[in-house]
Structures are given as structure tokens and as C-alpha cells.
Amino acid sequence: MDYKDLADVIFPDVKDISYYEEKYPVRNLEEGAIVSRFAPSPTGFVHIGGLYQALIARKMANQTNGVFFLRVEDTDQKREVENGVSGIVNSLKDFDMAPDEGMIDEENETGAYGPYKQSLRKEIYRAYAKYMVSMGKAYPCFCTSDEVEQIRNKQESAKIRPGYYGVWAKCRNVTVEEAINRIKNGESYIVRFKSQGREDRKIKHHDVIKGNIDFPENDQDIVIIKADGLPTYHFAHAVDDHLMGTTHVIRSDEWLSSVPLHLQLFHELGFKAPKYAHISPIMKEENGGKRKLSKRKDPEAAVSYYAEVGIPADAVKEYLLNIANSTFENWRKQNPNMPMEEFELQLNKMSVSGALFDMVKLLDISKRVISKYSAEKVYNEGIAWADKYDKNLKTILEKDKDYTLQVLGIERGNEKPRKDIAKWSDLKENIIYMYDEEFLNKPQQYEFQKINDKQEINKIITTYIEKYFNIEDDKETWFNKIKDLSEECGYARETKEYKQNPDAYKGHVGDISTVIRICLTGRANTPDMYEIMKVLGEKSVIERLKKAI
Ligand code: GLU
């Protein structure tokens, strides 16, 4: 009896691997095209670090006319949650990163290299495991979990490297005859890889991101098929990425130390190994140190957070590109209006250690991204957000669409657009004062600044209404009139004049403008006041000014 007989006893009913090799032919792509994938477990939570990996993988495929696919890794069925796949699919869609192949919802998929859900690939893994057993490269292991635990305890107390390897790998020397007998007697078993590696030998690995690294060879006889018949991550990775034609495995660097094992599996299976690009995690600063962004502690670790606070997906993606390649920032400065898709991402320029997550920077980018939106786009995105998270805002925005578009159009679509909105949850605060029913009908707290004497304010505003305000004025005339008003009230027409001779004036035109602005809007900082008045219209401007006095 030989290994083939053993393989037949363990896997009596699987297809020969030649069937799968033919079914999934080598992809017909241009030289240099990258096939990459996102391979999350459906645990119900998409981490920003996962989105980051997916973005890099998606982009590398785009840049090379390659393929990006989504594979769901659900072989650890304890960790699975209901609708976990939809969560992942929708996150990718929300970020405009839908895959070319793979799962498209909970059940369905597209693409010729599927199934793209590992739990549906059991027969495939079994075929390749059989192939390994038939070559003597894998074997059934009958050790119970208690026995494995005992081995570990012995190793620990003797301070020896833990694991199932070398002399500790009891079952690797079980003869074919004995193994077949034990299986026929109904003993339970799992399937292990028979490693030919030696810990005292080194392999050289070139990681696309991390560079050259020497590792000790893998000598562990790792499990390839578990008791539930499903493969371990390691084995599924080799089989899937081979059959699916992955050229670049772009994944988290928590897997870096598994590279020797993975290369060994590819080699023993007779597969060409992919290139590996291990991405450093996104870090957070804490008490002067750095730690990984944590699902438990940091709300911003969840991709859903960004939708909730209303940071546009484009902004999050731009920020992630910023983290990915430090050259992005400069590129953006030089190409302020180019779609980010035009930026050439370079894997080998990614940082080797983890980048710090910087919310201030993200919000800054978001302000810039939103500043480029048309009023119509702000309107649509704002409503979509408000529909889910702020019904009152939705009512306000929708009540008079034309008016809202004018409000949102203030200082937009010009050379230096307004940059006061970083997220949709800021929108209300930034525009609410433009609505009479919100502003006039509610009590306002006017926090006056330099000019804060009530009588003085009354005089300024009354004079302005009576002598100078005219909604028809063009901007220059309008501003000249504010200067005239300043002069009449004893304030310098120009800031410069005031600075040269401060004792001659009560203040300057800027102080007068601030008083009008506060009376008009209830705040000291707003976009352009002339545009605001134009949008409010004569009646509202006068009512507001009168209300203030
Ligand atoms: N399912 C693995 C994970 O979520 C995938 C790693 C990989 O991309 O190969 O960590």
C-alpha cells in the first residue's frame, strides 16, 4: 500500500486536480497586469485598515488593466455573522471600489474563477489535499486536542519552541498501513502538511512593500484540513490564489511571518508563487506611543463611522492614498482638479512601518474635497446623509430646493471656494442661519466683538438701513457704501488708515462689517456677506437687521 491508497481512503470521492486546473485556466491578461484581491472574513465589521488594503489592491489592478476580486473567507464558521457578506459588498460599493469578480451580495457572485466564498470550495480544497497526501506531502494526524496540548506543555516546561514539528510530530511517521487501519476503525483525524523545512536554514524573501527579508524555513506540520473538513487559512490561501490567478497578494502585515510557510505550500503544490505586498497597519497615537487602531476603542476604526458622520467616501479615499504614498500630497497640490484615480500609486513606496491616523488631516482633506463639489452635488449628498441621520435637516434642505441651491452656491464654483464643510453633520450648523424660519423665529445670542455698545450698534444699523443698504447694488458699490457708513459713524474707511492713526478713529471698516454680519447671521464668521445678502433678499436682510436692534 502506498500514499495513493491512503489518499483514496481519506478522500474517496473528489475530482482529480487536473479537472480544476483546466476549469480555471491561466488568465489571459497583458504582461504586467496585476490580479489582486480583497479576502476578508465576514465578521460583520469592516475595519478602515481592511478598506485601505482593498483600496490599494483595487488601484493596483486598475492601474495595470488587471483584475480585482472579492473572496469571502468564511472557513472559520465560529466568527461568522449574518449578512456579513452584504456588509463587505456594500462597503466596497459605497467607496466606489466594487470588485471586477467575486461576491456581489450575500449569495450571488460574478466571474469565472469562483465560487468566491470559501465554504463553497470544500471539494476543491479536498482535491488538492488528496493530491498532497498522494505524494506523501500531507498525512492524517490522529492526535486529539488533549494530546496536542500535552505536547505544548512539555515544550513549554522544557523551554523549547512550541508546535507540531520534527520529533514532536508524532503522526508524521505513522505508516500508510497503520493510518488506513485507524481510519477504517473510525478514529477521527485531521490532515497535516509534512514540512520538509528546517528551522536552522534561511529563506530569502522579497516583499514588494517591506523589501528583502530573511526568514527561517518553516518546519511546522501545520493543519491543512480541519476536523470540520474545511481548510485552514494557509492552505486555502495557496489553493485559491493559485486557481484564481492572483499575481499580487496585498494583505495585512500580520501575515508576514507566514510567508515561509506560504511559499513552501506553493512550492510543494507545484504552483507559481504570487508576489506579496504586506501592508502596515494604520496606527493611533496614545500616551506618546503608537498602537493599532482598535475595533473596541476607536469609533473611526469602523468604516461605517465615516458614513455616519458624513465624511464623503472620496475624502476618506484621498486620505488613505495620502497615507499610502507620501508623494500623493505633492501630486494633489500640483493637480488640484484631477480625479484621484489619475494618481499612480507605487507599492514599493508604501511605508514599512504603520502610518498614524490623523483625523484633523482627514477633515482638512474632506473640506477640500467638498469645496470642489457643485451646489447640486452638496444638495444631493447632504440630503442622502440627512435622510438617514437628521430628518430635520432634510426637511430644511428640501422645503425650497431653489433657495437651498442658492445658499449652497455661496462662494462655490469659483477660484477660492468655501472650505467650511468637512462632513455632512456640519452642514446644518453651516447653513441654518440662512433660513428665515430658523433664524428670525428663534432667539439669537449675538456675540458682538469690538463694537459692543448697544446704542452704537443701533446707530450703525439704523443708519445703514436708512441711508446705505440697497439690494440692487453691485459688489463694489455695496462695499463703498459700507465704507461711507464707517466714515459717517467715525470709523476709518480702510484698515490701513486706522492703523496709521488709531487715535483719530473709533475703529475701522472691518469692525463695522462685523457688526452688520453678526446682526445679519448671528455669527462673526461666514462666507462672503455680499453674496449672503443677495441670497437672503431685501426683505429678509431688513427684517434681520431690525430684529438685532
Ligand atoms: N481572511 C484573511 C484576513 O482577513 C485574509 C488575508 C489575505 O488577504 O490573504 O486576514
Side-chain angles (χ1 to χ4, degrees):
M1 287 214 252
D2 59 13
Y3 293 130
K4 249 190 103 326
D5 300 309
L6 177 59
D8 282 334
V9 170
I10 302 179
F11 304 104
D13 52 0
V14 301
K15 293 193 170 70
D16 190 81
I17 63 162
S18 58
Y19 170 81
Y20 297 108
E21 295 294 321
E22 269 164 44
K23 182 168 177 196
Y24 306 111
V26 173
R27 290 170 184 273
N28 186 12
L29 293 168
E30 294 162 40
E31 169 100 38
I34 289 181
V35 180
S36 62
R37 82 292 190 281
F38 181 40
S41 299
T43 57
F45 180 91
V46 184
H47 193 284
I48 185 76
L51 187 80
Y52 180 48
Q53 288 163 36
L55 172 67
I56 308 296
R58 169 77 274 183
K59 197 150 172 43
M60 293 317 293
N62 281 353
Q63 281 177 201
T64 56
N65 294 328
V67 176
F68 167 67
F69 65 86
L70 171 64
R71 180 172 69 228
V72 170
E73 306 214 323
D74 58 346
T75 57
D76 186 357
Q77 298 188 323
K78 286 192 293 291
R79 291 174 60 215
E80 226 176 300
V81 300
E82 222 178 297
N83 298 327
V85 180
S86 316
I88 296 163
V89 168
N90 292 337
S91 293
L92 291 182
K93 256 193 227 151
D94 290 347
F95 285 86
D96 199 13
M97 280 160 41
D100 305 312
E101 293 173 9
M103 300 306 294
I104 52 172
D105 59 34
E106 210 59 45
E107 304 294 338
N108 300 295
E109 59 175 40
T110 64
Y113 289 80
Y116 294 88
K117 201 183 197 182
Q118 287 184 330
S119 56
L120 303 175
R121 300 173 62 79
K122 208 164 161 179
E123 288 316 297
I124 304 178
Y125 305 121
R126 289 167 61 81
Y128 283 87
K130 177 173 189 178
Y131 173 62
M132 293 289 273
V133 173
S134 71
M135 294 187 296
K137 293 180 177 182
Y139 61 90
C141 169
F142 302 93
C143 290
T144 60
S145 35
D146 277 354
E147 281 171 293
V148 175
E149 169 116 20
Q150 277 169 22
I151 294 174
R152 187 172 324 120
N153 290 341
K154 277 191 201 156
Q155 290 166 329
E156 244 166 46
S157 52
K159 300 214 164 13
I160 299 175
R161 199 162 48 87
Y164 202 88
Y165 63 94
V167 292
W168 302 99
K170 264 180 29 191
C171 292
R172 72 183 278 159
N173 298 320
V174 171
T175 62
V176 166
E177 285 75 13
E178 184 187 338
I180 291 177
N181 278 335
R182 288 170 79 170
I183 291 169
K184 288 196 167 151
N185 286 337
E187 226 178 293
S188 55
Y189 60 93
I190 53 174
V191 181
R192 285 186 186 271
F193 171 53
K194 192 186 264 182
S195 173
Q196 301 302 319
R198 274 180 33 190
E199 222 259 338
D200 58 351
R201 283 195 308 229
K202 293 249 187 280
I203 62 152
K204 285 192 183 308
H205 166 64
H206 179 79
D207 191 272
V208 184
I209 295 174
K210 306 268 178 183
N212 292 327
I213 314 171
D214 285 353
F215 288 104
E217 285 182 2
N218 167 64
D219 65 352
Q220 302 274 345
D221 285 0
I222 59 116
V223 178
I224 59 175
I225 302 288
K226 300 180 290 182
D228 59 7
L230 286 167
T232 52
Y233 165 69
H234 307 294
F235 191 60
H237 154 52
V239 171
D240 290 348
D241 283 315
H242 161 66
L243 290 178
M244 296 177 177
T246 307
T247 63
H248 287 62
V249 171
I250 299 172
R251 64 182 177 188
S252 147
D253 71 357
E254 69 187 283
W255 297 110
L256 185 61
S257 61
S258 303
V259 163
L261 164 64
H262 295 165
L263 291 175
Q264 196 183 13
L265 286 172
F266 274 87
H267 178 74
E268 298 296 348
L269 282 157
F271 303 158
K272 179 171 185 269
K275 289 203 161 77
Y276 286 95
H278 285 95
I279 299 189
S280 318
I282 300 178
M283 311 291 279
K284 174 137 182 164
E285 203 154 21
E286 191 178 66
N287 307 327
K290 273 179 158 193
R291 61 164 174 81
K292 281 192 198 178
L293 261 189
S294 132
K295 175 174 166 176
R296 258 183 325 109
K297 294 191 205 160
D298 312 307
E300 69 272 30
V303 163
S304 54
Y305 168 83
Y306 302 89
E308 274 156 34
V309 299
I311 300 177
D314 298 354
V316 176
K317 274 162 75 176
E318 286 231 357
Y319 176 63
L320 293 178
L321 286 179
N322 226 286
I323 296 187
N325 272 186
S326 57
T327 47
F328 180 81
E329 190 153 11
N330 219 359
W331 176 87
R332 179 43 90 206
K333 270 198 199 115
Q334 275 156 14
N335 307 285
N337 297 317
M338 237 184 228
M340 73 184 118
E341 287 69 29
E342 308 271 313
F343 174 71
E344 279 278 318
L345 182 77
Q346 283 176 292
L347 278 182
N348 58 5
K349 292 224 172 107
M350 288 187 66
S351 112
V352 171
S353 62
L356 272 186
F357 185 88
D358 181 349
M359 186 55 98
V360 175
K361 175 104 198 180
L362 167 58
L363 293 178
D364 236 46
I365 289 179
S366 189
K367 280 182 186 166
R368 201 191 55 75
V369 166
I370 294 178
S371 79
K372 302 267 173 198
Y373 287 179
S374 66
E376 189 81 34
K377 176 146 177 152
V378 174
Y379 181 81
N380 291 335
E381 304 273 316
I383 291 218
W385 180 83
D387 184 45
K388 283 197 187 138
Y389 303 103
D390 187 349
K391 293 281 189 226
N392 169 251
L393 173 64
K394 185 168 184 243
T395 314
I396 296 170
L397 293 174
E398 277 179 339
K399 201 162 173 195
D400 181 348
K401 179 172 176 183
D402 287 340
Y403 181 72
T404 296
L405 285 177
Q406 284 181 54
V407 171
L408 298 174
I410 292 173
E411 275 193 50
R412 194 172 287 286
N414 56 4
E415 277 276 298
K416 282 191 90 188
R418 66 194 281 187
K419 281 200 181 136
D420 50 352
I421 303 166
K423 46 191 191 313
W424 304 126
S425 47
D426 294 346
L427 185 60
K428 194 188 212 166
E429 174 58 22
N430 277 291
I431 60 168
I432 188 91
Y433 61 84
M434 290 300 291
Y435 294 85
D436 283 348
E437 61 280 19
E438 300 294 326
F439 187 83
L440 287 171
N441 301 343
K442 295 197 176 139
Q444 295 295 329
Q445 292 261 344
Y446 301 95
E447 286 185 17
F448 288 104
Q449 306 203 330
K450 190 159 148 198
I451 307 176
N452 54 24
D453 176 72
K454 269 193 191 158
Q455 276 182 349
E456 179 76 353
I457 291 168
N458 280 0
K459 193 182 105 197
I460 293 167
I461 296 298
T462 316
T463 316
Y464 183 58
I465 297 174
E466 281 169 6
K467 287 179 69 177
Y468 296 103
F469 170 64
N470 180 352
I471 196 75
E472 305 298 335
D473 285 341
D474 62 27
K475 189 159 183 183
E476 204 185 326
T477 314
W478 170 85
F479 194 44
N480 278 331
K481 287 191 178 168
I482 294 184
K483 288 182 181 174
D484 295 344
L485 168 70
S486 306
E487 194 172 336
E488 179 171 342
C489 297
Y491 295 76
R493 296 180 68 90
E494 310 284 345
T495 323
K496 210 167 53 196
E497 286 170 11
Y498 173 74
K499 285 200 176 133
Q500 282 164 357
N501 200 357
D503 295 335
Y505 304 101
K506 293 196 265 183
H508 57 78
V509 63
D511 303 321
I512 295 287
S513 298
T514 300
V515 165
I516 302 176
R517 188 188 304 274
I518 293 175
C519 291
L520 200 62
T521 64
R523 54 198 76 196
N525 289 309
T526 68
D528 185 76
M529 184 156 65
Y530 175 74
E531 286 191 50
I532 288 181
M533 286 193 184
K534 281 287 201 196
V535 171
L536 287 175
E538 182 174 19
K539 185 165 159 282
S540 169
V541 171
I542 291 180
E543 253 180 88
R544 285 165 181 246
L545 295 179
K546 284 193 171 150
K547 174 180 159 113
I549 58 180

